[in-house]
Amino acid sequence: MKYKAVVFDLFTTLTSLRHLKDAPGRFSNQILGISSEEWSDALFNRSRERLTGLITDPVDIIRDIAWKIDPSISEDILNSCAKERRLRFNYCLKHPPAGVVESLLAIREGGYKLGLVSNVDVIEVEGWKGSDLSTCFDTAVFSCYEGYMKPDPEIFGLCSTRLDVAPQDCLYVGDGGNEELIASAKAGMTAVLTSQFLQDTAPEKVMEREKTVNHHIRNLDEILPLLGQLEG
C-alpha cells in the first residue's frame, strides 16, 4: 500500500461542540459576556501558552483568554466558565457524532494505522481517556502535553515517529484550522480537507481552505474510497 496511516485533527474534524445535542453548560463567551468573535480570536490566535502546556490550571486558562478581552471579568465568572467548559468538553468527547467511531474502525480494519494531532489545552482533552474515540487510535499527540502546536512541524513529526511510519506514507485529515493542512503537507503528509462540520460553522472558510489541498471530503466515510483511488 502507498499509504500506511491516516492522521486526524480532533475538534471540527471528528467532533464539534456546536453540533452537540443536549450538552450541559453554556458557551464560554455567553458566560463571560463577550462576543463569540472576540472569544474565538483570543482562543485560537492569542493563547499559545495554554495550547503548549505552559498554563494548565483550568481557571488560569480561562483568565488568560478572557482578560485579554476584558480584564474586569470577575473571578466568580471565570470560575463558572471553567467549570462549565470542562463539562462541555468532557461531554463532547464522550458523545462523538453518530458514525464517527465506526468510520475510524473501518479504516483500521482496512489495514491503516490511525494517529491524532490536536491543538488542545488540558481542559479540552480531560475527557479523552475512557472515551470511545480514544480506543480507535494507535497514538494521540496533544499539543498541551508536547510543547508544540500546529503549525509547528515538530508536532507532525512526533505523530509519524510514534506511528513508526514515514510522513510521506500518511494522509492528514482536518478542517484546516491553525494552517494544519499547509503545515502537514510541508511535513510530507498528503493533506485532506474535511468540511463535515466546517460547512455549518464557517462555510466561507471551506472554499478558502479547499484551495490549499488536492483532496476534499465531506464525510469520514469518504476516506476509504479516497485511499482506494490514491492507491490505484
Side-chain angles (χ1 to χ4, degrees):
M1 293 190 300
K2 178 179 178 181
Y3 293 97
K4 298 178 181 178
V6 183
V7 179
F8 290 89
D9 172 44
L10 179 53
F11 293 109
T12 325
T13 293
L14 300 178
T15 188
S16 169
L17 279 174
R18 295 192 176 276
H19 290 79
L20 289 175
K21 294 182 179 179
D22 304 320
R26 297 163 288 170
F27 286 109
S28 296
N29 69 286
Q30 296 173 333
I31 301 169
L32 298 169
I34 56 181
S35 71
S36 59
E37 292 78 13
E38 289 175 311
W39 171 255
S40 294
D41 176 58
L43 184 70
F44 296 117
N45 301 322
R46 296 191 284 159
S47 61
R48 184 179 178 92
E49 291 81 5
R50 74 179 178 94
L51 292 173
T52 55
L54 295 177
I55 303 175
T56 58
D57 179 81
V59 177
D60 288 344
I61 287 172
I62 298 299
R63 183 186 296 107
D64 179 66
I65 302 167
W67 279 9
K68 287 172 180 171
I69 303 166
D70 181 0
S72 70
I73 296 173
S74 72
E75 288 293 327
D76 286 344
I77 292 176
L78 295 175
N79 276 276
S80 294
C81 185
K83 181 179 179 180
E84 294 195 39
R85 192 162 184 263
R86 292 176 81 176
L87 286 173
R88 288 182 68 80
F89 273 96
N90 271 273
Y91 185 93
C92 185
L93 292 177
K94 297 294 174 60
H95 297 82
V100 169
V101 170
E102 290 78 5
S103 292
L104 293 172
L105 292 177
I107 296 168
R108 288 193 74 175
E109 289 168 4
Y112 301 94
K113 293 182 178 181
L114 292 187
L116 189 81
V117 176
S118 182
N119 281 3
V120 287
D121 62 41
V122 295
I123 299 176
E124 295 167 335
V125 78
E126 188 178 57
W128 178 254
K129 291 183 179 179
S131 70
D132 288 342
L133 284 172
S134 70
T135 65
C136 300
F137 289 90
D138 296 289
T139 191
V141 179
F142 295 117
S143 64
C144 60
Y145 299 142
E146 306 298 345
Y148 300 111
M149 60 176 282
K150 295 178 284 189
D152 298 344
E154 292 89 349
I155 199 166
F156 299 101
L158 280 172
C159 186
S160 62
T161 296
R162 291 174 187 175
L163 288 171
D164 194 23
V165 172
Q168 292 78 9
D169 296 330
C170 299
L171 283 190
Y172 181 85
V173 182
D175 67 288
N178 304 113
E179 301 178 13
E180 63 183 351
L181 299 174
I182 296 170
S184 62
K186 286 182 177 179
M189 299 179 178
T190 298
V192 180
L193 168 66
T194 175
S195 59
Q196 180 172 351
F197 300 114
L198 189 66
Q199 186 61 54
D200 291 333
T201 58
E204 73 282 357
K205 294 182 180 179
V206 176
M207 290 185 63
E208 170 193 332
R209 295 175 183 178
E210 194 174 30
K211 297 174 183 176
T212 68
V213 296
N214 293 322
H215 309 289
H216 175 195
I217 63 171
R218 291 161 181 81
N219 195 286
L220 294 185
D221 61 15
E222 296 177 40
I223 293 176
L224 277 176
L226 174 62
L227 282 164
Q229 294 173 22
L230 295 174
E231 304 280 9

